[in-house]
Amino acid sequence: MTSDSNPTIVKYATNALDCILESMGDASLAYLPQLMERLVALLESSPTEVKPIALSAIGSAAHSSGEAFAPYFNEVVARIKHAMALTGDDDTLALRGVATDTISTVAEAAGRDAFRPHLDECTQLAMQGMEIDSATLRESAFCYVGVMSRVFEGEFAKYLSYIAPQILQTLRMDESSAFGYDSGEDPEMEDDDDMPLGFNTAISDEKEVAADAVGQLFASTTTAFLPYVEEITAELIKLLDHFSDTARKAATVALFTFVRTFSKIASPDPWMPGVPLRVAIDENTQSMIKLVLPAVLRMWEDEDDKMVVTQLCTELRLIMKDVGPATTIE
């Protein structure tokens, strides 16, 4: 069906392949040569609307096949880097965004040693995308940052001086224009209760992705990220009051990740049950707990989204397991 002359059929067939490949695991190996031949061909000659889906499917193929993707690695990376440098109309920028997202998936599948020669160039391309007036490219770049920091850990710290200010810029963005009023001018919009249920904007989506990325970024780069912790923590706490449930959820996860990371910096040993206390909570972790826990509990009092509450309870359980029950005791 991906060879059909009807572009609509090709589009939906490729999308189906993407969904299937994502969860196939080793079962995809038998089909990998044929799949990659067809998907690479779609990148070359398919309509614009199909190319992003083909790119995404290539990422899913890399994810499911792991080391078996190695024969296709160099060709695929070259093509993705070309797409990461594209400029033009919205469709072209959408393709660039998918390419930015896909390259991180390929990097994670290939491993840091295989991808290291491409890291600087791809990161520069992702950062250049942040400078283009496109929420899609900024979201894709933040997704890239989160995955690549997980892959390269401390090696990724050299990019923090650019990435951290970009995350702060996004978290501080004013969304009043999304509702057609200037901030502070319309009293009817000052209360989050007036926001439509489940309402999201392009900016709120960007904030959500930035919050997801920054938690992983701190967890991966640890001490190198410390100069940015105070300002970003303050913005994440503000995000707990955001009208978007997904943004609140992302902020909750990031803040608990900050607590966990401070604890791991102080002591790589996990908390162990028993008396006397075997692993004490250090001063920096305690300070972060005092910032995070009251803010999260205040949010919980008024939270009406089940998924946010579920995530909050999950994070509380995990943080007590990792750092100890003293996390929740003043």
Side-chain angles (χ1 to χ4, degrees):
M1 293 178 73
T2 56
S3 302
D4 198 283
S5 59
N6 187 326
T8 302
I9 293 176
V10 175
K11 175 182 176 180
Y12 286 111
T14 307
N15 190 56
L17 272 177
D18 185 16
C19 296
I20 293 169
L21 283 168
E22 193 169 352
S23 57
M24 281 186 72
D26 291 344
S28 68
L29 299 182
Y31 309 99
L32 194 59
Q34 182 181 359
L35 281 169
M36 290 306 302
E37 179 183 357
R38 185 60 196 141
L39 290 172
V40 170
L42 287 174
L43 281 182
E44 283 291 309
S45 58
S46 65
T48 303
E49 63 188 274
V50 176
K51 288 182 179 180
I53 305 172
L55 260 180
S56 181
I58 287 173
S60 296
H63 174 74
S64 63
S65 59
E67 293 180 358
F69 193 79
Y72 315 99
F73 176 77
N74 288 329
E75 180 183 6
V76 165
V77 168
R79 292 175 185 275
I80 296 176
K81 286 196 288 188
H82 171 74
M84 288 179 70
L86 294 174
T87 57
D89 58 18
D90 289 345
D91 288 340
T92 302
L93 293 182
L95 177 59
R96 177 173 179 160
V98 174
T100 303
D101 199 8
T102 301
I103 197 70
S104 61
T105 304
V106 172
E108 191 165 37
R112 71 173 75 183
D113 290 337
F115 197 82
R116 187 175 285 110
H118 307 281
L119 177 62
D120 280 341
E121 182 181 0
C122 289
T123 303
Q124 288 298 325
L125 288 169
M127 288 193 273
Q128 289 168 15
M130 288 183 176
E131 301 295 336
I132 298 173
D133 185 18
S134 168
T136 298
L137 288 184
R138 289 183 66 82
E139 286 182 37
S140 299
F142 289 140
C143 289
Y144 172 93
V145 164
V147 175
M148 296 301 266
S149 65
R150 182 168 65 239
V151 173
F152 285 93
E153 298 181 312
E155 291 182 52
F156 204 73
K158 60 184 177 180
Y159 306 112
L160 287 176
S161 61
Y162 179 85
I163 294 168
Q166 290 291 330
I167 290 174
L168 267 173
Q169 177 183 324
T170 288
L171 294 177
R172 289 170 171 167
M173 288 175 75
D174 179 17
E175 290 168 88
S176 58
S177 60
F179 306 102
Y181 75 101
D182 294 329
S183 180
E185 289 188 2
D186 188 344
E188 294 182 1
M189 295 299 286
E190 290 178 359
D191 190 341
D192 283 349
D193 290 339
D194 294 323
M195 297 294 181
L197 291 176
F199 188 88
N200 279 36
T201 67
I203 295 176
S204 70
D205 288 342
E206 186 178 323
K207 288 184 177 185
E208 174 197 348
V209 178
D212 283 334
V214 79
Q216 183 61 59
L217 196 58
F218 185 22
S220 299
T221 59
T222 61
T223 55
F225 191 81
L226 291 176
Y228 312 102
V229 166
E230 184 176 353
E231 285 186 282
I232 289 179
T233 298
E235 297 305 321
L236 289 172
I237 288 174
K238 293 177 185 176
L239 200 59
L240 293 174
D241 293 325
H242 199 275
F243 59 82
S244 165
D245 54 349
T246 55
R248 297 195 302 274
K249 181 180 174 182
T252 300
V253 174
L255 286 167
F256 278 111
T257 300
F258 276 30
V259 173
R260 187 177 295 107
T261 303
F262 266 114
S263 179
K264 288 184 177 180
I265 290 173
S267 173
D269 297 325
W271 173 79
M272 297 291 291
V275 178
L277 188 64
R278 301 183 190 182
V279 180
I281 297 179
D282 71 291
E283 184 177 346
N284 288 331
T285 305
Q286 286 179 338
S287 297
M288 182 58 65
I289 290 169
K290 289 178 180 177
L291 281 174
V292 170
L293 195 61
V296 169
L297 294 180
R298 282 195 302 271
M299 179 194 74
W300 194 358
E301 289 180 2
D302 299 321
E303 184 57 62
D304 55 9
D305 184 88
K306 293 180 181 179
M307 293 306 297
V308 177
V309 173
T310 300
Q311 188 66 56
L312 191 156
C313 291
T314 299
E315 294 299 323
L316 280 173
R317 177 180 62 81
L318 291 174
I319 206 70
M320 286 190 284
K321 177 184 176 183
D322 294 340
V323 182
T327 307
T328 61
I329 302 172
E330 284 290 343

